[in-house]
Amino acid sequence: MRSDEGVRFATIWLSGCAGCHMSFLDQDELLLELAKKVLVVYSPLVDEKEFPDEVDVTIVEGAVGNEEQLALIRKARASTGILISMGDCAVTGNVTALRNAWENGDEAVLRRAYLELVETAPQIPNEVPALLKKAYPLHEVVKVDYFIPGCPPDASRINYVLTELLEGREPEMEGRSKFG
Ligand code: SF4
């Protein structure tokens, strides 16, 4: 998995609140150990616009909620060796999937956000990516290799999974896996 420049590593932020990425950053000084082993090739934490080819490990926050995210996660899956679902939104849909309770949840969300709650010039924007009919947990859209549940997952749990994988070991999630 590792090249001369380190393991090619990416993080993706889909429909989530950024809490999972905050938890990722909460690894604190352990991030320095991680940084010795990886080359970050794509992330909201770096200024890279296109998901690259040949990525070893990608960790993903959030459910798949719109067309742009669907295209990104498909590209990421095609280009990534190990894909990790990070946090309850990615693993189950969680908060993001609350709109799935309505038959036309995509329209209901847009109407509530851009028409009903807006006092000045209410209008539904057409410049933003179209919402999917439903918000999907990652594994309903692409194959997922590892799951780290939690809202957000503990930094220690994220660090454990990444450390094990980077050392070529299988993470053992029994007793470490927890929703909410
Ligand atoms: S799992 Fe929780 S912390 Fe992570 S993106 Fe979803 S709501 Fe935010």
Side-chain angles (χ1 to χ4, degrees), residues 32 36-37 39-40 43 46 50-51 56-57 71 80 82 86 99 104-105 110 123 135-136 143-144 156 159 162 164 172:
L32 300 177
K36 289 178 192 164
K37 299 173 187 164
L39 177 71
V40 181
S43 172
V46 302
E50 298 292 329
F51 196 90
D56 296 308
V57 179
T80 300
I82 296 174
M86 168 173 67
R99 69 178 164 96
N104 294 310
L110 292 172
Q123 58 181 313
Y136 295 92
K143 177 178 173 288
V144 170
S156 60
N159 183 266
L162 292 177
E164 293 298 284
E172 174 51 67

Side-chain angles (χ1 to χ4, degrees), residues 16-137:
C17 71
C20 290
H21 268 81
M22 291 301 106
S23 211
F24 177 85
L25 292 176
D26 269 351
Q27 291 178 80
D28 295 332
E29 72 276 7
L30 294 176
L31 279 176
L32 300 177
E33 291 305 311
L34 204 59
K36 289 178 192 164
K37 299 173 187 164
V38 305
L39 177 71
V40 181
V41 292
Y42 182 91
S43 172
L45 310 172
V46 302
D47 187 26
E48 183 65 45
K49 305 291 188 264
E50 298 292 329
F51 196 90
D53 296 327
E54 296 179 10
V55 179
D56 296 308
V57 179
T58 297
I59 190 163
V60 185
E61 166 185 333
V64 184
N66 66 36
E67 298 283 358
E68 186 177 272
Q69 294 170 355
L70 183 61
L72 173 59
I73 198 63
R74 283 179 172 159
K75 161 71 178 159
R77 176 68 277 183
S79 305
T80 300
I82 296 174
L83 189 83
I84 305 169
S85 202
M86 168 173 67
D88 288 351
C89 289
V91 174
T92 70
N94 198 30
V95 180
T96 315
L98 288 177
R99 69 178 164 96
N100 296 354
W102 283 272
E103 192 174 338
N104 294 310
D106 54 336
E107 291 170 19
V109 163
L110 292 172
R111 201 169 49 244
R112 185 74 178 150
Y114 291 108
L115 302 180
E116 295 171 4
L117 296 178
V118 177
E119 291 180 358
T120 305
Q123 58 181 313
I124 294 179
N126 54 17
E127 301 86 2
V128 294
L131 287 182
L132 300 174
K133 283 283 171 206
K134 288 172 53 184
Y136 295 92

Side-chain angles (χ1 to χ4, degrees), residues 154-175:
D154 291 348
S156 60
R157 211 175 308 158
I158 297 171
N159 183 266
Y160 168 76
V161 172
L162 292 177
T163 302
E164 293 298 284
L165 290 174
L166 293 177
E167 293 301 326
R169 296 187 292 260
E170 252 333 273
E172 174 51 67
M173 294 305 285
E174 190 163 345

